[in-house]
Amino acid sequence: MSLTAAFFAIIRRDLLLAFRRRAEMANPLFFFVLVVTLFPLAVGAQPNLLQTMAPGVVWVSALLAALLSLDGMFRSDFEDGSLEQMLLSAQSLPVLVLGKVVAHWLVTGLPLLVIAPLLALFLGLPERAMPTLWLTLLLATPVLSLIGAIGVALTVGLRRGGMILSLLVLPLYVPVLIFASSAVDRAAGGLPVSAQINILLSMLLAAAVVTPLPTAAALRMSVN
Amino acid sequence: MDGKCSNGLQVSGLACSRDDRLLFSGLSFVVAPGEALLLEGSNGSGKTSLLRILCGFRDADAGELFWRGRPLVDSDYLVEMAYVGHAEGIKKELTVLENLRFSRALNQPGKLSIDQALAKVQLAGFDDNAVQTLSAGQKRRLSLARLLITANTLWILDEPFTSLDRQGMALIETLIGEHVAAGGMVVMTSHHDLNLPVARLQRIHLDTCH
């Protein structure tokens, strides 16, 4: 029972911290909105082209926004010693790590879900593709946080880990990007998407089970 | 040192090096309930490294560690130990109360309630203050209050007196004395002149451990 309590305590603490640092936390969302709104300006008044590109543009921007937000996941805990205290906790570290990832997704992934349909509409994505876009974001943004956590845990001890983090994490993000944008693309063309959705769902389930273990191990290494 | 100490911390033949420089080797000691160990040595002699080995943050180059007669990894060591290091491990954006509640959720609740612990470290009434409004000494006392609200028997303290005034130091010395008198154990480093009210105090000088 106290493991569940610790899991929710860590989510609660991180949400509270995010609320107190809200200016910082809004950065990835702001970036997402900015990138998507710049596209029509650069491409020019070609509604058909924009419409075709919409799934890719929304997904690439969401992925970059997720990447941008990753570094903050363990950074402040590492710097102020909270991470050491987490490692010394009597509770299982992978569960605490999962709590941190859930909190990170609630702060950075969930706002994308709210704003993305609006931006997709702005790019002229057909309305029938909206539920699919929303579903892919719902399934795949947690995967980005879960996979990203391994990379952050490995690089948190480095002074300038940003570049290495992108190199480590981006190749693992590519399958997510491919399946998610292809699902939205097919939905826009009125084709069935259940295969892509099933693959994204299985990625989410696998990542939720598997990634907390290497993340916890990498954190132990980084604290050394 | 034959036989394993059955109810305390035992360290035998410990060695640690850093960047090809041997910090200490052949270090053996036992801390039994009711005892305190004070690690001394010049800067860079490996005091913090030793404490980090005791916390499991880094691996020793040689030697073994036992808790209550069993190897550290398959004992209840993590449940029974508490560590206060250079980094305080408290969040400056959260209030005093929020920080302590979180520490308590990560560990087993201890004998004292949060209010009692705050009164003990003379922070009563600061519950709802954000930690960033506290002074350095008050932050230090807050991180030491963590020791009181969680269930633990072994305290590992790295320079616990940093940024404390004379009165704060006396307060922490008393807390350490009470903890040891109640059957607890303390391993600490400090280069202050201490006046620890502890009957069984060991001192190890790390500069001589080669």
Side-chain angles (χ1 to χ4, degrees):
Chain A
M1 203 52 216
S2 67
L3 183 61
T4 333
F7 177 74
F8 286 110
I10 208 159
I11 294 179
R12 195 169 163 273
R13 183 198 70 156
D14 277 16
L15 291 181
L16 204 56
L17 278 171
F19 178 70
R20 304 247 162 102
R21 302 174 184 153
R22 43 190 177 270
E24 224 174 293
M25 292 297 156
N27 273 348
L29 184 66
F30 182 65
F31 175 84
F32 180 60
V33 173
L34 211 64
V35 172
V36 175
T37 47
L38 282 178
F39 260 90
L41 298 178
V43 171
Q46 303 178 53
N48 289 334
L49 182 61
L50 277 177
Q51 191 171 13
T52 331
M53 281 167 51
V57 169
V58 171
W59 252 104
V60 168
S61 315
L63 188 139
L64 291 177
L67 193 64
L68 188 70
S69 71
L70 279 182
D71 192 53
M73 201 188 293
F74 297 113
R75 172 74 54 202
S76 77
D77 283 352
F78 179 77
E79 278 164 3
D80 66 15
S82 303
L83 192 58
E84 291 175 353
Q85 295 299 330
M86 263 172 67
L87 298 192
L88 294 178
S89 159
Q91 312 296 348
S92 140
L93 186 59
V95 174
L96 300 182
V97 163
L98 192 62
K100 280 208 67 89
V101 175
V102 169
H104 178 262
W105 179 77
L106 287 175
V107 172
T108 62
L110 201 57
L112 296 189
L113 250 69
V114 178
I115 202 98
L118 213 63
L119 291 172
L121 206 64
F122 168 78
L123 292 176
L125 189 75
E127 253 173 68
R128 60 170 177 243
M130 287 302 166
T132 309
L133 174 69
W134 203 78
L135 192 59
T136 56
L137 284 169
L138 179 68
L139 292 175
T141 48
V143 180
L144 301 183
S145 294
L146 286 162
I147 293 176
I150 306 177
V152 189
L154 282 169
T155 54
V156 73
L158 308 175
R159 237 169 249 288
R160 291 199 183 85
M163 196 63 210
I164 303 174
L165 176 63
S166 331
L167 287 175
L168 278 175
V169 163
L170 270 180
L172 299 170
Y173 278 5
V174 168
V176 180
L177 178 70
I178 291 173
F179 286 111
S181 55
S182 122
V184 183
D185 207 25
R186 284 173 66 90
L191 296 165
V193 293
S194 56
Q196 281 83 349
I197 296 296
N198 284 340
I199 289 173
L200 289 176
L201 179 63
S202 63
M203 279 179 179
L204 172 61
L205 295 177
V209 175
V210 174
T211 58
L213 297 169
T215 307
L219 284 177
R220 284 187 201 284
M221 263 169 50
S222 288
V223 161
N224 186 341
Chain B
M1 205 163 300
D2 42 287
K4 289 170 192 160
C5 171
S6 61
N7 52 1
L9 177 71
Q10 182 184 3
V11 167
S12 62
L14 208 63
C16 173
S17 57
R18 185 159 211 168
D19 303 331
D20 294 333
R21 197 165 58 85
L22 189 66
L23 293 175
F24 52 80
S25 63
L27 180 65
S28 301
F29 59 82
V30 171
V31 184
E35 282 184 358
L37 169 64
L38 181 61
L39 298 168
E40 294 172 318
S42 51
N43 289 344
S45 61
K47 302 187 293 286
T48 296
S49 298
L50 175 57
L51 293 189
R52 294 185 73 81
I53 290 171
L54 292 182
C55 289
F57 294 150
R58 59 182 292 167
D59 293 323
D61 294 315
E64 287 174 303
L65 299 122
F66 297 96
W67 175 248
R68 301 196 190 282
R70 303 172 68 181
L72 234 50
V73 280
D74 53 63
S75 64
D76 289 336
Y77 183 66
L78 282 183
V79 180
E80 293 198 67
M81 63 87 76
Y83 167 71
V84 174
H86 287 290
E88 257 123 8
I90 45 185
K91 288 280 172 200
K92 62 183 194 309
E93 292 91 346
L94 299 184
T95 66
V96 169
L97 195 61
E98 286 160 352
N99 268 298
L100 290 181
R101 276 204 189 125
F102 178 67
S103 312
R104 207 174 159 91
L106 282 193
N107 295 289
Q108 311 289 339
K111 283 181 277 234
L112 295 187
S113 72
I114 289 176
D115 283 344
Q116 288 167 325
L118 283 178
K120 242 185 157 154
V121 296
Q122 296 172 357
L123 282 176
F126 284 90
D127 314 33
D128 293 327
N129 289 46
V131 169
Q132 55 198 353
T133 65
L134 300 184
S135 75
Q138 285 170 326
K139 275 185 211 159
R140 180 59 32 176
R141 275 186 273 148
L142 171 59
S143 66
L144 291 161
R146 263 207 326 255
L147 300 169
L148 303 174
I149 56 160
T150 55
N152 50 54
T153 43
L154 173 65
W155 289 1
I156 296 181
L157 311 175
D158 196 356
E159 299 287 351
F161 299 104
T162 312
S163 65
L164 287 177
D165 56 10
R166 207 173 282 273
Q167 195 195 353
M169 281 179 63
L171 177 76
I172 305 308
E173 282 172 350
T174 316
L175 289 179
I176 291 173
E178 284 173 7
H179 178 65
V180 171
M185 290 164 250
V186 176
V187 177
M188 61 184 289
T189 64
S190 179
H191 39 236
H192 289 85
D193 285 327
L194 296 183
N195 193 7
L196 285 175
V198 172
R200 288 151 69 195
L201 178 68
Q202 303 179 56
R203 285 168 190 267
I204 291 180
H205 205 80
L206 282 182
D207 291 316
T208 62
C209 292
H210 289 295

